[in-house]
Amino acid sequence: MLQIHDLSFVPFITSTEIEEAIAKVAQQINKDYTHKTPLFLGVLNGAYAFTAALTKKITGNCEVEFTKLKSYAGTTSTGNIQNLIGVGNLKGKDVIVVEDIVDTGNTISEIVKILEAEEVASYRIATLCYKPEAYKKSYKIDYIGLEIPNKFIVGYGLDYDGLGRNLPEIYQLK
Ligand SMILES: O=P(O)(O)OC[C@H]1O[C@H](OP(=O)(O)OP(=O)(O)O)[C@H](O)[C@@H]1O
Ligand SMILES: Nc1nc2[nH]cnc2c(=O)[nH]1
């Protein structure tokens, strides 16, 4: 069991399962982008670990950038998304958004608005974890590492009030 602040978590996804999920996503992207140079847009903070691991498995040329959005306070989405680091010039780029988790979809919805305003050539969404029961939007999530139930998780980039991002495996709220 793992204690972070006031909450207890139990082991949920092993580091081996995470690595297998990332390899599967990388394989799909390598196949789909053979003749393209995708720009991976990692969403900080949570997606730093997934972005690093995923891009190391990309076999062709690619670019890597980050943007920073924040909506979660504690274990719930505030619904109020702050854009803390904007995107650079993405015009004409084939962007792959990299998320650690798609939950309600509020963050993705904000990113899609930004990408459309930037006039990107194309965009797709890749996420390590996806909660289908919590998702409230209709944007297609193109690359999904792991489908998980609607329970709060920490580890592999995901935090609870700032802690837990460094854990190599994923834990679920008890
Ligand atoms: O689909 P949603 O309900 O919008 O949730 C997903 C978002 O929540 C987390 O970010 P958070 O706002 O906690 O910021 P962080 O990445 O800095 O932890 C996560 O990294 C996603 O970006
Ligand atoms: N740490 C963490 N952040 C999230 N953001 C959206 N869903 C989650 C979750 O389950 N865990």
Side-chain angles (χ1 to χ4, degrees):
M1 210 169 63
L2 169 77
Q3 186 74 26
I4 301 181
H5 300 303
D6 55 326
L7 296 182
S8 303
F9 294 84
V10 289
F12 180 42
I13 302 166
T14 64
S15 50
T16 305
E17 287 167 326
I18 295 170
E19 279 160 29
E20 284 168 2
I22 296 172
K24 180 190 74 178
V25 169
Q27 197 180 23
Q28 290 168 347
I29 292 174
N30 283 329
K31 186 163 152 269
D32 293 349
Y33 285 79
T34 319
H35 302 295
K36 290 189 172 165
T37 301
L39 183 148
F40 289 89
L41 182 66
V43 184
L44 296 171
N45 291 326
Y48 79 94
F50 179 40
T51 307
L54 176 64
T55 53
K56 277 189 271 187
K57 292 188 165 11
I58 299 304
T59 48
N61 285 331
C62 70
E63 295 180 72
V64 184
E65 299 272 347
F66 288 92
T67 185
K68 179 163 170 157
L69 301 180
K70 179 141 198 76
S71 72
Y72 270 71
T75 62
T76 47
S77 171
T78 62
N80 166 25
I81 313 233
Q82 296 168 269
N83 191 345
L84 302 173
I85 299 177
V87 294
N89 183 8
L90 299 179
K91 189 167 179 174
K93 302 281 185 185
D94 292 303
V95 175
I96 301 177
V97 177
V98 185
E99 267 289 20
D100 48 340
I101 189 162
V102 173
D103 189 311
T104 61
N106 289 336
T107 305
I108 281 302
S109 156
E110 208 56 34
I111 289 176
V112 166
K113 277 189 222 154
I114 294 168
L115 296 181
E116 286 176 351
E118 288 290 317
E119 298 178 39
V120 298
S122 69
Y123 66 82
R124 287 190 176 184
I125 297 164
T127 187
L128 178 60
C129 298
Y130 171 57
K131 293 183 182 170
E133 294 152 23
Y135 191 55
K136 292 185 302 194
K137 308 289 177 183
S138 50
Y139 307 104
K140 182 174 180 227
I141 310 300
D142 302 280
Y143 304 104
I144 296 171
L146 300 151
E147 278 201 10
I148 60 168
N150 188 11
K151 263 196 157 185
F152 192 78
I153 57 169
V154 292
Y156 209 86
L158 291 137
D159 74 310
Y160 168 48
D161 268 356
L163 299 183
R165 295 194 199 275
N166 55 310
L167 297 163
E169 54 286 297
I170 292 175
Y171 292 76
Q172 189 179 54
L173 187 59
K174 197 177 167 207

